[in-house]
Amino acid sequence: MRRKLVVANRKMNGSLASNKAFLEGLLAGTRDYQNADYAVCVPHPYLFQAEALLKGSAIAWGGQNMSRYESGAYTGSVSPGMLTEFSCEYVIIGHSERRQRGHDTDHSIGERFEVATKAGLKPILCIGETLDEYEDGITDVVTIRQLNAVINEIGVEGLAGGVVAYEPVWAIGTGKAASPAHAQNILSFLRGHIEMLNADIAKNIRILYGGSVNAGNAAELFSMPDIDGGLVGSASLNTADFVAICQAASNDYR
Ligand code: PEP
């Protein structure tokens, strides 16, 4: 049975004071809800604080991106080794905001996925179609292309070291989540694709849904058989909302 995983993508938000309140609230709010896994991906300057506050708890932390290089003249970048020095468990890879504004490509994301797993991190690979692609009915073509870019780089076995997050771009930050049926449909399609290559990996890999998950829709989304949790942006900026989403994941334990 796959345990649900809920990941906060705090994006470029927070401050030392507001992070502290959020992390303490999350620790308290999930104490009695231990049937799911939780992680918080924070801006890099706050990794030290996340480690200090979460160490020894059941809540993991991670970065929101990383370089595919180990060191060198890459101004503004953070290496996988820097993330592991702060005991990160996860790193988000290929978020649509980085694909669209940071010029990340399918190929460079595949390389990052490989480098992250080699460093001992669990990459959370974000894939998903734009609104135009959705309206053109090519969600399957786009998501398989994005997934295959990683499989081509590291083989299907390499996928096992990470997590996949299906995040339709049209649902991110818009308040318009995909319907549970649509999300289930795509996740089942993606799992089926992995299954053709390796049934064991398909059975065990966690595939999350992301895109306007909130306290009101989380339980229904998480009740879908192939949705193994959520990657949560906006709702992770409100402690009570994010705690409610974590509790919904834990309550769905079967
Ligand atoms: C995200 O950015 O990964 C995300 C899912 O954002 P939101 O929850 O705000 O749609």
Side-chain angles (χ1 to χ4, degrees), residues 9-168:
N9 174 13
R10 302 263 295 166
K11 309 197 186 192
M12 198 175 71
N13 293 295
S15 63
L16 287 172
S18 65
N19 300 341
K20 184 169 185 291
F22 170 71
L23 295 174
E24 287 176 352
L26 184 56
L27 283 166
T30 54
R31 194 161 293 133
D32 297 330
Y33 293 84
Q34 296 293 323
N35 289 326
D37 296 326
Y38 313 115
V40 181
C41 291
V42 300
H44 295 143
Y46 297 136
L47 286 173
F48 185 81
Q49 183 190 29
E51 182 179 28
L53 289 172
L54 297 177
K55 204 172 194 153
S57 78
I59 300 173
W61 57 96
Q64 298 173 4
N65 188 33
M66 50 154 241
S67 169
R68 59 194 141 142
Y69 304 111
E70 300 205 341
S71 63
Y74 302 103
T75 303
S77 298
V78 166
S79 74
M82 292 170 186
L83 296 181
T84 55
E85 269 208 298
F86 289 97
S87 307
C88 287
E89 184 169 339
Y90 294 96
V91 60
I92 296 172
I93 300 279
H95 192 279
S96 63
E97 286 155 16
R98 305 245 14 130
R99 288 180 192 260
Q100 291 181 333
R101 294 177 214 149
H103 308 295
D104 288 5
T105 62
D106 283 347
H107 178 65
S108 74
I109 291 161
E111 286 184 332
R112 275 190 184 78
F113 194 102
E114 178 174 28
V115 169
T117 49
K118 281 192 174 148
L121 294 159
K122 293 179 186 150
I124 300 169
L125 169 70
C126 298
I127 59 177
E129 80 286 5
T130 63
L131 183 59
D132 282 350
E133 291 163 340
Y134 174 70
E135 287 175 347
D136 287 348
I138 56 168
T139 298
D140 49 355
V141 177
V142 173
T143 51
I144 288 298
R145 189 202 73 224
Q146 294 170 331
L147 185 60
N148 278 342
V150 173
I151 294 176
N152 292 341
E153 195 69 31
I154 53 166
V156 69
E157 291 74 21
L159 260 193
V163 174
V164 176
Y166 167 60
E167 296 210 304

Side-chain angles (χ1 to χ4, degrees), residues 7 9 11 92 95-97 126 167-169 171-176 209-214 230-236:
V7 182
N9 174 13
K11 309 197 186 192
I92 296 172
H95 192 279
S96 63
E97 286 155 16
C126 298
E167 296 210 304
V169 180
I172 295 179
T174 60
K176 293 182 191 144
Y209 166 75
S212 298
V213 175
N214 60 40
L231 180 54
V232 182
S234 317
S236 75

Side-chain angles (χ1 to χ4, degrees), residues 243-254:
V243 164
I245 294 168
C246 293
Q247 293 177 349
S250 182
N251 285 340
D252 193 69
Y253 178 73
R254 287 167 253 183

